[in-house]
Amino acid sequence: MIKLYTCGHEITTPLAEIIHAFTNEKIEFTKTVEQADVVSILNGETVETVIKVSGKVFTGKNSVMPSKVRNEKQCLGDAVKKGYYLLATKAYGKTLPWGIITGIRPKKLVMDFINAGELDEFKDRFCVSHKKIDLSILTDRAQKQIKNSLTDDSICLYVGIPFCPTRCRYCSFVSMPMDKQQELIEPYVECLIREMEYTSGLIKGSGKKLEAVYVGGGTPSSLNEKLFDCVMSATEKYFVTDSLKEFTVEAGRADTITQAKLKSMINAGMTRVCINPQTMNDEVLKGIGRNHTSEDFENIFDVARKIGIKHINTDIIAGLPGETEEMFSDSFNRLMGLEPDAITVHTMCVKRAADLKTTDFKSYDAEKMVDYASGKLISSGYFPYYLYRQKDTLASLENTGFAKMGKESLYNIFMMEDIGTVIGLGAGSVSKLKTDGPNKFRRVFNYKNPIEYINGFDDIIKRKEDYNL
């Protein structure tokens, strides 16, 4: 537990986030300087910071610097975080790859400064590594063609299937193990299809262009073949129109995918499928709670190619429990050997609700793993096309999607760049509605779990009546 004392400013949450990034400790606010492990005081235009670590005391001052890109409050926040960061690098003997940036869209911040001609100011203000600046520039470059193809009328759709065969130990998403939810699955699908029908009418009446549909989870392919086909058929019926450019299905785990389900996707007009091994190491797979093997993944990947699926995305995670840097490299090389069209390199993230949160586990150097994967991908003709960050990610790293030229995901770019309205269907989904007001988006939440979703379905439809697309 790190005890934090602040005075003269209210930059508490961002400061707590960067303290946590260095220490992985919970933060407790204290009312006295004497009790505090970290002190941050604003004195005029100067932030005075003190850190106490293992009996040593580190002190420093950092000025609040004006900026053409940042407003007054943001400049203060930058100074408060940098004041702590500069001392923490000495106290803990390490730096963070994204410096003092704690938000989920760091690339946007990089490009805001570059587009304003203030790259040197960015480097000084945020302490971001050269590698991450270069990654941001490459990612922005890869996005431009898709972003330029979109209009103010472009919207996307997310369809949520919150069921999984088992719950991965690192997972905190709204997802339910199938064996405990069997009686809910069929009524859930019935409600979801009704929500699809109603939403289809909303979109048609609005005159908006539906450009991408993403069926995610959970694990959508954990539904049995009959119900899965019902969802695919309904998606085609209500949303596969002339304006649709991309239809992704997150099939997910190899042990849930059958040839019949793959054919259902193809028949419905699916253009992109995600089949995600997470690792090609069987012992690590078992340790995180997945019931398939690397051979199962390779077999279903081969089946998907042979029946004509031309765009396969795969995921791999750096920093999984028990996976060394060498094991990760071997796993990654094996995945690359299959030549998927896109690979998303995730960094291990243990959220508060995850099973691993209460477990001590050995994690290895995730930054080396991410650097290895990124280097191999770029040298092999893949380009980073979207990236985002999460809280509690190992080594304060990021998740990056890489794709071969022309294989980028429109939906992923649309979501991560906050381009426009995304309508969410199903339990746990969030509709993000673009507005003209000072707040760029209005968020409307569906009920989180399947029982609430089914029981509160009429209320969900009433909320959609007020979308004003």
Side-chain angles (χ1 to χ4, degrees):
M1 181 73 72
I2 301 292
K3 293 183 178 180
L4 171 62
Y5 174 86
T6 64
C7 181
H9 67 78
E10 297 179 355
I11 313 297
T12 53
T13 299
L15 178 57
E17 288 174 347
I18 198 148
I19 293 171
H20 180 74
F22 269 97
T23 66
N24 201 33
E25 296 279 352
K26 292 181 179 179
I27 311 301
E28 178 180 272
F29 293 95
T30 180
K31 295 182 178 180
T32 65
V33 172
E34 292 76 19
Q35 292 179 334
D37 302 301
V38 177
V39 176
S40 178
I41 298 172
L42 178 63
N43 186 0
E45 293 297 310
T46 301
V47 179
E48 300 174 358
T49 308
V50 179
I51 300 179
K52 302 172 187 176
V53 179
S54 302
K56 295 182 179 179
V57 179
F58 300 83
T59 63
K61 295 182 179 181
N62 188 48
S63 298
V64 180
M65 300 299 293
S67 172
K68 296 177 183 177
V69 182
R70 306 283 274 172
N71 63 36
E72 188 175 327
K73 184 177 179 180
Q74 289 169 334
C75 288
L76 174 58
D78 297 341
V80 169
K81 290 194 290 183
K82 185 177 177 182
Y84 172 83
Y85 183 89
L86 294 175
L87 296 184
T89 57
K90 298 175 184 176
Y92 297 104
K94 66 178 181 180
T95 59
L96 302 178
W98 288 101
I100 68 169
I101 297 178
T102 54
I104 65 173
R105 295 176 175 85
K107 192 270 297 182
K108 182 180 184 304
L109 196 53
V110 178
M111 298 312 301
D112 284 347
F113 276 81
I114 288 177
N115 293 334
E118 300 292 343
L119 179 57
D120 288 340
E121 181 195 330
F122 174 84
K123 293 175 181 178
D124 179 62
R125 182 175 289 268
F126 295 103
C127 308
V128 174
S129 72
H130 291 291
K131 284 188 294 187
K132 299 310 176 188
I133 293 174
D134 291 343
L135 177 65
S136 298
I137 294 169
L138 284 173
T139 302
D140 189 74
R141 191 178 300 160
Q143 293 176 348
K144 283 185 176 175
Q145 184 172 349
I146 284 181
K147 290 171 79 171
N148 290 340
S149 73
L150 301 169
T151 70
D152 290 339
D153 288 331
S154 299
I155 63 172
C156 291
L157 184 84
Y158 177 84
V159 180
I161 313 289
F163 302 105
C164 284
T166 60
R167 188 179 180 88
C168 293
R169 298 187 66 209
Y170 55 77
C171 181
S172 66
F173 288 128
V174 178
S175 60
M176 304 290 172
M178 298 288 284
D179 59 347
K180 297 179 181 179
Q181 305 290 324
Q182 285 297 331
E183 74 282 358
L184 295 175
I185 295 171
E186 193 164 341
Y188 177 86
V189 170
E190 290 173 0
C191 286
L192 181 64
I193 291 174
R194 287 171 58 198
E195 191 181 7
M196 286 183 180
E197 181 180 13
Y198 184 83
T199 304
S200 173
L202 282 182
I203 294 171
K204 288 174 182 175
S206 72
K208 300 290 186 181
K209 289 167 52 182
L210 181 60
E211 304 247 11
V213 172
Y214 192 103
V215 181
T219 308
S221 51
S222 61
L223 299 176
N224 65 38
E225 289 179 351
K226 179 182 176 182
L227 289 176
F228 184 80
D229 188 65
C230 287
V231 172
M232 290 297 101
S233 298
T235 307
E236 178 193 22
K237 178 180 179 180
Y238 295 119
F239 303 120
V240 177
T241 62
D242 291 342
S243 69
L244 195 71
K245 297 176 181 176
E246 179 180 282
F247 174 5
T248 298
V249 179
E250 188 180 355
R253 303 192 198 189
D255 54 324
T256 67
I257 306 169
T258 65
Q259 187 163 329
K261 292 177 187 178
L262 291 170
K263 287 182 177 178
S264 288
M265 298 180 210
I266 292 172
N267 293 338
M270 177 272 298
T271 62
R272 178 177 179 270
V273 66
C274 302
I275 307 175
N276 304 326
Q278 315 301 33
T279 176
M280 300 296 282
N281 186 295
D282 290 345
E283 285 303 310
V284 177
L285 284 169
K286 189 184 297 182
I288 61 175
R290 292 174 81 93
N291 292 333
H292 65 84
T293 66
S294 55
E295 186 178 3
D296 293 333
F297 166 76
E298 288 174 325
N299 289 341
I300 201 64
F301 188 100
D302 186 55
V303 170
R305 281 291 195 224
K306 285 180 177 176
I307 66 173
I309 295 178
K310 296 179 180 178
H311 189 158
I312 302 177
N313 176 82
T314 61
D315 288 0
I316 194 165
I317 301 177
L320 287 171
E323 188 159 67
T324 66
E325 292 95 317
E326 184 179 359
M327 290 164 66
F328 175 85
S329 300
D330 291 343
S331 178
F332 182 79
N333 291 340
R334 190 171 164 189
L335 180 60
M336 282 281 285
L338 298 174
E339 298 186 6
D341 303 282
I343 297 179
T344 303
V345 181
H346 293 270
T347 307
M348 176 72 172
C349 178
V350 182
K351 293 289 190 178
R352 183 173 53 190
D355 176 56
L356 280 174
K357 192 67 176 179
T358 59
T359 305
D360 289 329
F361 64 91
K362 170 73 173 172
S363 61
Y364 294 84
D365 194 332
E367 188 167 6
K368 285 184 179 178
M369 298 179 194
V370 168
D371 287 347
Y372 178 84
S374 300
K376 290 280 286 188
L377 283 161
I378 291 171
S379 67
S380 301
Y382 293 79
F383 298 90
Y385 74 93
Y386 84 109
L387 70 88
Y388 66 101
R389 299 180 66 224
Q390 295 172 279
K391 291 181 181 178
D392 298 321
T393 300
L394 292 181
S396 197
L397 288 161
E398 71 287 333
N399 305 319
T400 306
F402 292 83
K404 295 178 179 178
M405 189 67 71
K407 297 290 187 176
E408 306 87 355
S409 167
L410 185 157
Y411 178 87
N412 286 337
I413 293 173
F414 198 92
M415 273 290 291
M416 289 306 155
E417 295 298 300
D418 273 345
I419 291 172
T421 289
V422 179
I423 300 175
L425 309 184
S429 69
V430 181
S431 292
K432 196 167 63 169
L433 310 173
K434 193 170 184 179
T435 69
D436 295 325
N439 296 319
K440 193 174 178 181
F441 291 96
R442 177 168 67 94
R443 285 170 169 77
V444 183
F445 296 82
N446 273 10
Y447 290 111
K448 278 196 171 184
N449 68 54
I451 297 175
E452 292 174 331
Y453 174 79
I454 295 165
N455 292 338
F457 185 76
D458 290 343
D459 184 47
I460 287 172
I461 295 300
K462 286 181 182 177
R463 294 177 193 180
K464 280 186 163 48
E465 291 173 358
D466 298 326
Y467 274 19
N468 297 321
L469 294 180

